[in-house]
Amino acid sequence: MKKTKYSLKKLGINEISSNYVSKKRFSDGSQYKFEVPGIQNPSTLISLISACEEKDVKIHRVTQTKGIMFLTDEEIEEMVKLAKSNMLDLFLSVGPRAVYDTSATAQTKEGSRIGYRLRGYDNLVYAIEDVKRALNLGVRGIVIYDEGLLYVLAKMRENGEIAKDTKFKLSAHAGAANPASAKLFESIGLNSFNPVRDLSISMIGSIRDAIDIPIDIHTENPKSTGGFIRHYEVPEIIRVASPVYLKTGGSVAKHHNWETTSVEAKKRIKQVVLVQNIIDRYYPEAIVSK
C-alpha cells in the first residue's frame, strides 16, 4: 500500500495521524459557525430569528432544503430581506432533482442512489433556471446536489453570467465521503463541503487536511438519515474540521424536506444552545465567529 499512499500524497491527499488538529480558520480567524438547516419559508425563518433573540444565541447560516421552485418570488425576497437584516447567510436548494421528476427508478430502493442528481439535458436546464431565478431575487447562497450542475454554475460565475459573489454549498445527499471527492468538488468551484453524515472523526480529518474550504458537519440528524446525535463529539469535530459549520437542529425533523413549523424552529435553536453548552464546557477556547 505504500506506493498507493505515495501517489495520493503527491495529489495532496495524506494519511493523517490520530492526533491531527486543523490549523485552518475562517477569514475572521474563527474555528466554527452554526448553521440551521430545513428552514423552508419566511414564517419559519421569522420564528427561528425570534428564538435566537430569546435564547441570546448566534447562528450564522440557514438553509432551505425543499427547493427554490417551491417558493414564490415574494417568499424568496422576504427571506433575503430577513437574512440580511439579521446578518445571516441564506442558502436555498436547487429544486429539480431525480425524486421530483418522472424517474421511476429514483423511487425504488436501489434507484434511490441516484437521489437528487439531475437526469438529462432538460433537467440540467431547469436546475440552472431555478438558480438564476433565486439569484435575480437577491439570493447568493445555493445548495447543490449534482457535481455536473456545480461545474456548469461555477463556469457561469467565472464568466460573469451569474453573480460573482454567489456561493455554492454541497449537500450531504450528494454522497461525497472521502478526501479525493472533496478535492474534486473544491477544484470545480465549491465553496462549502458537506460530506455524508456518519463519518468518523479521523475520516473528517482526512478531508480537512485535503481541502481549504469550510466543511459542514451535522451535529445531529433526522430519523430518515439515522437519527444519531453527536453533541459530545462536537469539541473534537471543531479541533479536526476547522473551519467548520456545525449543522444543528436536524433531529427535530423527520426527513430532509421536512416542513419545519414555527414551534419546531424554536426547538432547533434549543439544539444550538445545547451544542454551544457542550463547547463551552469541554472546549471553551474554541473560537466562534462573531
Side-chain angles (χ1 to χ4, degrees):
M1 296 184 187
K2 287 184 179 180
K3 287 185 178 180
T4 296
K5 291 181 179 180
Y6 180 68
S7 296
L8 289 173
K9 187 173 183 179
K10 289 192 295 183
L11 296 173
I13 301 171
N14 301 300
E15 183 177 22
I16 63 167
S17 66
S18 59
N19 59 352
Y20 175 84
V21 174
S22 173
K23 300 299 183 183
K24 299 175 183 180
R25 300 290 185 267
F26 284 105
S27 59
D28 64 358
S30 64
Q31 293 170 276
Y32 71 99
K33 299 182 181 184
F34 278 107
E35 173 184 336
V36 177
I39 305 305
Q40 313 293 14
N41 55 62
S43 62
T44 306
L45 181 54
I46 289 170
S47 296
L48 189 81
I49 292 168
S50 175
C52 285
E53 294 172 349
E54 181 182 325
K55 298 291 186 181
D56 192 26
V57 65
K58 170 69 176 176
I59 63 172
H60 306 86
R61 185 161 77 180
V62 294
T63 53
Q64 181 262 10
T65 55
K66 194 171 183 180
I68 297 162
M69 66 187 189
F70 289 97
L71 293 170
T72 66
D73 288 4
E74 291 76 18
E75 287 175 320
I76 293 174
E77 289 173 331
E78 185 176 358
M79 291 182 80
V80 168
K81 183 178 179 180
L82 285 166
K84 285 183 177 179
S85 61
N86 289 277
M87 294 181 290
L88 293 171
D89 290 330
L90 173 67
F91 276 71
L92 303 187
S93 294
V94 175
R97 50 189 88 159
V99 292
Y100 288 161
D101 73 22
T102 58
S103 173
T105 302
Q107 309 303 326
T108 67
K109 184 176 181 180
E110 291 190 10
S112 63
R113 294 187 182 94
I114 71 173
Y116 293 167
R117 282 184 164 78
L118 299 170
R119 300 167 62 251
Y121 177 85
D122 286 344
N123 279 305
L124 178 61
V125 172
Y126 301 156
I128 295 169
E129 286 295 305
D130 208 41
V131 170
K132 288 168 72 174
R133 172 172 166 252
L135 297 181
N136 288 338
L137 292 170
V139 175
R140 287 298 180 268
I142 303 294
V143 180
I144 301 286
Y145 301 89
D146 185 284
E147 59 269 42
L149 177 62
L150 171 62
Y151 169 78
V152 172
L153 289 173
K155 288 294 184 184
M156 294 176 69
R157 179 179 60 186
E158 182 182 325
N159 296 333
E161 297 172 67
I162 61 174
K164 292 280 190 180
D165 58 346
T166 304
K167 304 296 182 185
F168 300 121
K169 162 183 162 58
L170 186 74
S171 169
H173 291 265
N178 64 72
S181 294
K183 285 187 76 69
L184 174 63
F185 277 106
E186 183 180 46
S187 73
I188 60 175
L190 190 68
N191 302 107
S192 192
F193 180 80
N194 197 156
V196 297
R197 302 162 187 258
D198 59 357
L199 298 187
S200 67
I201 299 293
S202 63
M203 290 175 178
I204 295 169
S206 69
I207 291 173
R208 164 46 65 218
D209 186 67
I211 62 175
D212 294 322
I213 59 176
I215 300 176
D216 315 330
I217 300 294
H218 290 81
T219 66
E220 58 201 63
N221 295 273
K223 291 180 180 178
S224 61
T225 53
F228 54 94
I229 295 175
R230 309 186 71 171
H231 289 186
Y232 277 97
E233 290 185 278
V234 167
E236 193 61 24
I237 287 172
I238 295 172
R239 289 188 183 95
V240 168
S242 170
V244 61
Y245 280 96
L246 302 174
K247 295 190 66 171
T248 304
S251 60
V252 173
K254 290 185 179 180
H255 53 73
H256 181 60
N257 295 331
W258 185 254
E259 284 281 358
T260 303
T261 66
S262 295
V263 172
E264 289 170 338
K266 294 182 179 180
K267 290 182 179 179
R268 287 182 185 260
I269 292 304
K270 179 182 177 181
Q271 297 301 97
V272 174
V273 172
L274 291 173
V275 172
Q276 186 65 68
N277 287 343
I278 290 285
I279 298 169
D280 292 344
R281 186 175 300 119
Y282 297 107
Y283 191 14
E285 64 271 30
I287 306 170
V288 62
S289 180
K290 302 301 182 185

